[in-house]
Amino acid sequence: MERRTVFFVSDQTGVTAETMGHSLLTQFDGQAFRQVTLPFISTVDKAQEAVRRINATGEAEGVRPVIFSTLVQEDLREIIKRANGLFLDFFDAFLGPLELELKLKSSRAQGKAHGMQDVGAYTTRINATNFALANDDGAVTRDYERADLILVGVSRTGKTPTCLYLALQYGVFAANYPFADEELETGRLPAALTKHQRKLYGLTIAPERLQQIRNERRPNSNYSSPSQVDFEVRTAEAIFRRYDIPCINTTECSIEEIASRILDRTGVERRLRP
Amino acid sequence: MERRTVFFVSDQTGVTAETMGHSLLTQFDGQAFRQVTLPFISTVDKAQEAVRRINATGEAEGVRPVIFSTLVQEDLREIIKRANGLFLDFFDAFLGPLELELKLKSSRAQGKAHGMQDVGAYTTRINATNFALANDDGAVTRDYERADLILVGVSRTGKTPTCLYLALQYGVFAANYPFADEELETGRLPAALTKHQRKLYGLTIAPERLQQIRNERRPNSNYSSPSQVDFEVRTAEAIFRRYDIPCINTTECSIEEIASRILDRTGVERRLRP
């Protein structure tokens, strides 16, 4: 199959262009793409250099590239637009209608989305990340008073990455507490958790999938044996029912999806926007 | 100032709609926005319920909302489009031109962008996150053979959140090693690091900003004193020069920006796309 190169061009990090481009590209199964990010294209020189690179790629591959761009400045957009490729700019498409609707001119300033204008947001994110790290895996620090959420479940259901994602993406303070022998044998939760019952959210997973994940980590151990995994998942789900803890099955979910569903269902407020 | 409500409507997590909307909204300084995410709008019923909510908000506030949406299915888009608001859908704007260019029909399948189609990508992300956690702050595990990058610098320059962001966003394996008394007194790096010199990347920061950050953590300590902070930053920068370690000043950078600049400058390959 003929491969086509896709460029993500941005005057900033390129995260928005990548996010936008990626969701569109996944709609075309029948095409292979090579993805190249050109971030920090913030001057005329850099824009001209980007055009040269895009054109050279198109000539070498015999098929013109697709360009997803997020360029705030019109003069830079105009330069990239002249490259020989399909040019899809996100500000180009949406700033006009927004200006009309809001009856305001946009400031057309670079780097607002991911810059450091907002020291408060930076601090929130760092604090939330530190909170997640300090309150990971039922560790010594159990600062559950400050938690927005406490994720519970057996080992390897996705609690740690979900907490970190909630911190970095949304500034949400999420702790996690893995069910260990004590909870699994008694089917009961410690007072440290029941005190904060309304903050608890359960993660569960299909036993077959969990076994596969654990087996990669510790092959042929009791930890990854079908009987142990079955027992743990069943007991965890019984605990969720006993304590009326809402829960999500993570078997088919990405980390973004787990995080987003939990926020949606609990109504926990995002402290940051991506 | 009249506040306007913005809805992010998505058949999936809403991350793409939020990212897209946020970069546009930051271009309008003169307007206050209230932001509401309506994720997982994947059925006609849910879409109609979203329209009711959008319309009720518009009526209550006396100004029609802005709707950023990422809805793959045309029938759902058509429903949301009928809400009384400014409707900006991302697939609406870009899928048509892409189909023409690629000479392919899009699959118009929900949830490709952040679903779990790709178990390999999920595993990469989890492994990269575990790697960042295990190799955080020069901890016991120093699995630098597997590292794509090793971030170095003094305490509180942003190493840990950058490593976690690189893992979660891009699947990049990033370790971090904080300069402690030993490095700062001798101005030399241990063999564990010099062995992997080409993987090292330095983080530095303005002393005034570092002092402010450290003072929030441990007020009135030696750790946050101007003389100590000055000494540490100066010594770290001397180490970067001595060992020819590229470095970034994080004073005015968001975590996304630090991560993106490091990937751009080192050429380290993203293992995942957002």
Side-chain angles (χ1 to χ4, degrees):
Chain A
M1 186 171 46
E2 184 185 62
R3 199 182 59 167
R4 204 186 270 254
T5 299
V6 174
F7 287 94
F8 305 110
V9 181
S10 168
D11 50 38
Q12 275 293 304
T13 62
V15 171
T16 307
E18 288 175 338
T19 304
M20 151 172 127
H22 190 70
S23 5
L24 287 162
L25 296 181
T26 50
Q27 296 300 315
F28 296 93
D29 291 331
Q31 174 72 50
F33 297 103
R34 183 173 74 103
Q35 303 179 44
V36 179
T37 305
L38 304 178
F40 308 112
I41 304 297
S42 51
T43 64
V44 168
D45 278 0
K46 287 182 184 169
Q48 286 166 341
E49 176 54 33
V51 169
R52 278 190 289 275
R53 190 159 163 196
I54 294 166
N55 289 346
T57 301
E59 277 160 37
E61 298 182 345
V63 52
R64 61 180 208 153
V66 174
I67 306 155
F68 293 107
S69 87
T70 53
L71 292 166
V72 175
Q73 280 179 232
E74 240 170 314
D75 57 335
L76 300 182
R77 279 210 300 271
E78 291 306 319
I79 294 170
I80 302 290
K81 203 179 270 182
R82 291 199 295 268
N84 186 18
L86 173 69
F87 176 80
L88 299 172
D89 188 282
F90 170 70
F91 289 98
D92 218 23
F94 296 126
L95 267 188
L98 263 175
E99 289 183 338
L100 278 177
E101 176 75 23
L102 301 175
K103 299 187 187 71
L104 283 172
K105 289 298 282 179
S106 69
S107 57
R108 306 197 182 255
Q110 273 171 21
K112 294 241 173 172
H114 291 286
M116 255 291 285
Q117 286 71 19
D118 190 346
V119 171
Y122 181 85
T123 306
T124 300
R125 165 178 268 180
I126 300 290
N127 289 345
T129 304
N130 289 337
F131 182 87
L133 291 173
N135 291 277
D136 182 44
D137 266 342
V140 187
T141 320
R142 287 193 196 158
D143 192 5
Y144 293 164
E145 294 297 333
R146 289 170 67 214
D148 296 313
L149 284 167
I150 306 163
L151 304 189
V152 291
V154 302
S155 164
R156 299 287 130 182
T157 46
K159 298 183 300 301
T160 296
T162 303
C163 286
L164 291 168
Y165 187 83
L166 284 164
L168 282 165
Q169 186 82 354
Y170 298 118
V172 165
F173 283 52
N176 89 71
Y177 185 98
F179 291 159
D181 289 349
E182 202 181 322
E183 290 82 28
L184 294 171
E185 277 158 24
T186 62
R188 310 234 160 229
L189 296 182
L193 287 181
T194 54
K195 263 210 311 207
H196 298 284
Q197 191 163 345
R198 56 178 189 78
K199 296 182 180 180
L200 302 181
Y201 209 96
L203 267 57
T204 191
I205 189 169
E208 306 70 47
R209 173 78 185 125
L210 182 57
Q211 213 201 310
Q212 187 190 356
I213 294 169
R214 288 189 175 183
N215 207 46
E216 274 174 33
R217 199 171 162 86
R218 289 193 225 149
N220 307 314
S221 62
N222 179 50
Y223 174 76
S224 63
S225 72
S227 60
Q228 177 66 20
V229 165
D230 262 356
F231 161 73
E232 290 191 22
V233 171
R234 238 182 317 114
T235 310
E237 291 179 354
I239 293 175
F240 298 155
R241 283 191 300 272
R242 162 173 293 157
Y243 291 92
D244 203 18
I245 299 168
C247 97
I248 179 169
N249 188 316
T250 66
T251 314
E252 306 254 313
C253 286
S254 65
I255 299 299
E256 289 98 332
E257 196 175 337
I258 302 170
S260 180
R261 284 199 189 269
I262 292 174
L263 292 184
D264 188 43
R265 292 179 191 169
T266 57
V268 164
E269 287 284 333
R270 293 153 167 79
R271 290 210 172 82
L272 296 173
R273 294 278 169 178
Chain B
M1 185 172 46
E2 184 184 62
R3 197 182 59 165
R4 203 186 271 252
T5 299
V6 175
F7 287 94
F8 304 109
V9 181
S10 169
D11 50 38
Q12 274 293 302
T13 62
V15 171
T16 307
E18 289 174 339
T19 304
M20 151 171 129
H22 189 71
S23 356
L24 286 162
L25 296 179
T26 50
Q27 296 300 316
F28 295 93
D29 291 332
Q31 173 72 51
F33 298 104
R34 182 173 76 101
Q35 302 178 48
V36 179
T37 305
L38 305 178
F40 306 111
I41 305 296
S42 51
T43 64
V44 168
D45 279 1
K46 286 183 185 169
Q48 285 166 343
E49 175 54 33
V51 169
R52 278 191 289 275
R53 189 157 164 199
I54 294 166
N55 288 345
T57 301
E59 277 160 37
E61 296 181 348
V63 53
R64 63 178 206 154
V66 175
I67 306 155
F68 292 106
S69 86
T70 53
L71 292 165
V72 175
Q73 282 180 227
E74 240 171 309
D75 58 333
L76 300 181
R77 279 211 300 270
E78 290 307 317
I79 293 170
I80 303 291
K81 203 179 269 183
R82 291 200 294 268
N84 187 18
L86 174 69
F87 176 80
L88 300 172
D89 187 282
F90 173 69
F91 289 97
D92 219 22
F94 296 125
L95 266 189
L98 264 175
E99 289 183 338
L100 279 177
E101 176 75 21
L102 302 175
K103 299 188 187 69
L104 284 172
K105 289 298 282 180
S106 69
S107 59
R108 307 198 181 255
Q110 273 172 21
K112 293 242 171 169
H114 291 288
M116 253 294 283
Q117 285 73 17
D118 191 346
V119 171
Y122 180 84
T123 307
T124 299
R125 164 178 270 179
I126 300 291
N127 289 345
T129 304
N130 289 336
F131 182 87
L133 292 172
N135 291 279
D136 183 45
D137 266 342
V140 186
T141 321
R142 287 195 196 157
D143 190 5
Y144 292 163
E145 295 297 333
R146 287 169 69 214
D148 296 313
L149 284 167
I150 305 164
L151 304 189
V152 291
V154 302
S155 164
R156 298 287 127 181
T157 46
K159 298 183 299 303
T160 296
T162 303
C163 286
L164 291 168
Y165 186 84
L166 284 164
L168 282 165
Q169 186 83 353
Y170 299 118
V172 165
F173 284 54
N176 89 71
Y177 185 98
F179 290 160
D181 289 348
E182 203 182 323
E183 290 82 28
L184 294 170
E185 276 158 26
T186 63
R188 309 238 160 224
L189 297 182
L193 287 181
T194 53
K195 265 211 307 207
H196 298 283
Q197 191 163 347
R198 57 179 188 78
K199 295 183 181 180
L200 302 181
Y201 210 96
L203 268 58
T204 191
I205 189 169
E208 307 71 48
R209 174 76 185 125
L210 181 57
Q211 212 202 311
Q212 186 189 355
I213 293 170
R214 287 188 175 184
N215 206 45
E216 273 174 32
R217 196 169 163 87
R218 288 194 225 147
N220 308 315
S221 62
N222 178 49
Y223 174 76
S224 63
S225 71
S227 59
Q228 177 65 18
V229 165
D230 263 355
F231 162 72
E232 290 191 22
V233 171
R234 236 180 321 113
T235 309
E237 291 178 353
I239 293 174
F240 298 154
R241 283 191 299 273
R242 162 173 293 158
Y243 292 92
D244 202 19
I245 299 169
C247 96
I248 180 169
N249 188 317
T250 67
T251 315
E252 306 253 310
C253 286
S254 65
I255 298 299
E256 288 98 331
E257 197 174 338
I258 302 168
S260 180
R261 284 199 188 270
I262 292 173
L263 292 184
D264 188 42
R265 292 178 190 171
T266 58
V268 164
E269 287 283 333
R270 295 153 165 79
R271 289 211 173 81
L272 297 173
R273 294 279 169 176

